[in-house]
């Protein structure tokens, strides 16, 4: 491959932001990976020290451990304990480079990506860009609620919650206090269930100590789910047990109900139920996100990219998709594979082997997803597990959930920090420092909902 820079002796540190992003000269095939989530990093690990030049692009300089976002949001963990710098991750990988840039466009005809910092040519391109929150076209809800898809969202939720609880101690208006202390979570999947359980424990163990100005019973937690069960991707046993746990924690679960509008002060459901709240957390859906340049005819439901069984994007010969963005549509998987971390990791590892074989012009086998089971927690000592034929709940499911998540976190220091926080919380129910280090400013409320 042609070099990106004419002078082999030019130092990367001397490069300026120009039309071309500076990369070291190399005759190796160049694999560009967009996105450093579970899928992207699994692919990086598979290609390290191989005969390829790997360039990882991400708009952040760190990997985020998404399954624990809700714990950051509820002050159980500090954000730096579940993020890990990419450059530290790839330290020692001589064939792997990281570039902090947001990819804005793909130009397949010239094998080029356009970023906000410049352009780069590729031999093979891998899209591992993940998903963003899907508000299903409800602009009012999107304007006034918070999703939970990145670490910044989690910190916004934390600051919103703490600021509103502080304001509730100040106001003398009963309706205003109700709105400030009511929490509505939309979506009964793992993220919504775990968030509801964490908030319920916060109300039970933290609120009475931190806010003696008002009774903890004033804080109502609502979980709204549009269908008739929670955790619909798990077993009926897991669903019913989760509902039982949440009711024990006094979470108000509204099944077969959905949000039709929200103005920043009150939620209206499809059943015309009105809930006063200034705290709406949206976990009800996701949609794929990727740079422009891919033909729309290859985009399927959920804004995912349709791929063949080798994870190659339909219509292209050197562009692949892995993780939540990939929809491997086959007779066995008409809706694609589940958008979970284990799918992303397996696809990343698989594609690493595939790319190396393609470069050597060797035959490859189709991707086969191996479902290792599902876990979800509802609070301390309360979790559900579906592991093949084994379906159980309670303390051992919670212990298994804790071990699996702890071992999955990047970096020894991060594991140590999370483990220590969990140990303290286990014996004391104490949360991390509940600090408002920056003001969260919600958009102005528009009273356009009919009373």
């Amino acid at each position: 491959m042609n070099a990106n820079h004419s002078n082999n002796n030019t130092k990367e540190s001397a490069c300026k932001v120009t039309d071309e992003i500076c990369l070291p000269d190399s005759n190796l095939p160049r694999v560009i990976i967009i996105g450093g989530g579970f899928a992207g990093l699994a692919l990086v690990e598979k290609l390290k020290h191989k005969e390829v030049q790997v360039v990882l692009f991400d708009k952040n300089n760190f990997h985020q451990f998404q399954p624990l976002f809700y714990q950051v949001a509820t002050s159980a963990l500090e954000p730096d304990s579940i993020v890990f710098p990419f450059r530290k991750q790839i330290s020692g990988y001589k064939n792997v480079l990281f570039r902090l840039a947001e990819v804005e466009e793909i130009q397949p005809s010239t094998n080029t990506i356009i970023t906000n910092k410049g352009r780069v040519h590729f031999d093979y391109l891998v899209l591992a860009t993940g998903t963003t929150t899907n508000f299903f076209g409800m602009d009012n809800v999107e304007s006034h609620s918070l999703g939970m898809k990145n670490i910044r969202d989690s910190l916004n939720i934390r600051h919103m919650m703490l600021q509103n609880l502080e304001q509730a101690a100040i106001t003398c208006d009963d309706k205003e206090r109700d709105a400030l202390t009511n929490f509505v979570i939309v979506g009964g999947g793992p993220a919504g269930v775990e968030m509801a359980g964490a908030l319920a424990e916060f109300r039970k163990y933290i609120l009475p100590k931190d806010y003696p100005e008002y009774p903890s019973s004033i804080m109502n937690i609502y979980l709204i789910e549009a269908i008739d069960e929670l955790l619909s991707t798990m077993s009926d046993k897991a669903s019913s047990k989760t509902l039982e746990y949440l009711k024990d924690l006094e979470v108000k679960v509204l099944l077969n109900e959905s949000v039709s509008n929200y103005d920043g002060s009150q939620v209206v459901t499809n059943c015309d139920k009105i809930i006063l709240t200034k705290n709406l957390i949206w976990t009800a859906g996701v949609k794929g996100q990727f740079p422009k340049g891919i033909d729309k005819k290859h985009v399927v439901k959920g804004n995912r990219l349709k791929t063949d069984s080798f994870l190659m994007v339909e219509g292209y010969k050197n562009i692949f998709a892995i993780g939540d963005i990939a929809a491997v549509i086959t007779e066995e998987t008409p809706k694609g594979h589940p958008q979970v971390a284990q799918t992303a990791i397996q696809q990343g590892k698989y594609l690493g082997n595939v790319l190396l074989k393609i470069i050597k012009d060797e035959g490859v086998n189709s991707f086969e997803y191996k479902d290792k089971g599902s876990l979800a927690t509802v609070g301390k000592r309360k979790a559900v597990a579906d592991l093949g034929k084994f379906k159980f709940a309670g303390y051992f499911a919670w212990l298994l959930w804790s071990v699996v998540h702890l071992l999955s976190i990047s970096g020894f220091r991060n594991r140590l920090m999370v483990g220590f926080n969990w140990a303290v919380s286990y014996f004391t129910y104490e949360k991390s420092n509940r600090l408002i280090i920056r003001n969260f400013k919600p958009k102005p409320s528009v009273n356009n909902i009919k009373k």
Side-chain angles (χ1 to χ4, degrees), residues 11-234:
K11 299 293 186 181
E12 286 185 69
S13 59
C15 294
K16 298 179 180 179
V17 177
T18 62
D19 194 39
E20 288 281 332
I21 288 182
C22 186
L23 293 173
D25 292 336
S26 175
N27 292 319
L28 298 174
R30 176 177 293 159
V31 178
I32 288 182
I33 304 169
I34 307 176
F38 289 113
L41 283 190
L43 177 55
V44 167
E45 289 296 313
K46 207 66 182 178
L47 294 179
K48 66 181 182 182
H49 308 312
K50 304 297 183 181
E51 294 298 308
V52 290
Q53 184 188 62
V54 180
V55 188
L56 174 64
F57 279 87
D58 199 288
K59 60 184 177 182
N60 299 306
N61 72 336
F62 52 82
H63 169 72
Q64 310 174 76
F65 191 73
Q66 295 184 7
L68 296 182
F69 280 165
Y70 80 95
Q71 293 203 10
V72 172
T74 54
S75 298
L77 293 174
E78 288 302 321
D80 59 342
S81 62
I82 63 166
V83 297
F84 197 76
F86 288 129
R87 289 192 176 276
K88 188 172 183 180
Q89 183 85 26
I90 66 174
S91 177
Y93 301 176
K94 294 183 179 180
N95 67 318
V96 180
L97 303 161
F98 170 71
R99 291 296 180 265
L100 179 66
E102 185 169 2
V103 179
E104 299 174 338
E105 183 180 353
I106 302 165
Q107 296 181 342
S109 60
T110 59
N111 288 344
T112 304
I113 62 168
I114 309 299
T115 79
N116 61 340
K117 304 289 180 65
R119 67 179 65 227
V120 178
H121 296 280
F122 62 83
D123 289 310
Y124 301 94
L125 177 64
V126 181
L127 298 171
T129 44
T131 57
T132 187
T133 304
N134 190 356
F135 291 95
F136 303 100
M138 293 187 286
D139 294 336
N140 273 356
V141 176
E142 183 174 358
S143 295
H144 301 294
S145 65
L146 289 173
M148 196 165 55
K149 287 300 296 177
N150 58 58
I151 196 69
R152 295 177 183 88
D153 288 340
S154 298
L155 287 172
N156 282 337
I157 293 171
R158 176 192 289 198
H159 293 129
M160 174 187 71
M161 176 178 73
L162 294 176
Q163 285 174 203
N164 286 347
L165 291 176
E166 292 293 346
Q167 184 62 30
I170 293 172
T171 184
C172 293
D173 186 313
D174 290 339
K175 284 189 176 181
E176 178 72 3
R177 186 182 295 113
D178 286 344
L180 289 164
T181 56
N182 288 341
F183 288 77
V184 176
I185 302 130
V186 184
V193 162
E194 291 170 352
M195 187 70 191
L199 281 174
E201 290 190 338
F202 184 97
R203 174 183 60 189
K204 184 175 181 179
Y205 298 106
I206 303 300
L207 208 65
K209 294 187 298 183
D210 280 14
Y211 300 93
E213 295 91 338
Y214 46 78
S216 58
S217 59
I218 198 175
M219 180 176 170
N220 293 300
I221 302 166
Y222 298 85
L223 178 60
I224 300 177
E225 170 54 50
I227 61 175
D228 61 356
E229 64 177 351
L230 302 174
L231 300 178
S232 59
T233 58
M234 296 184 69

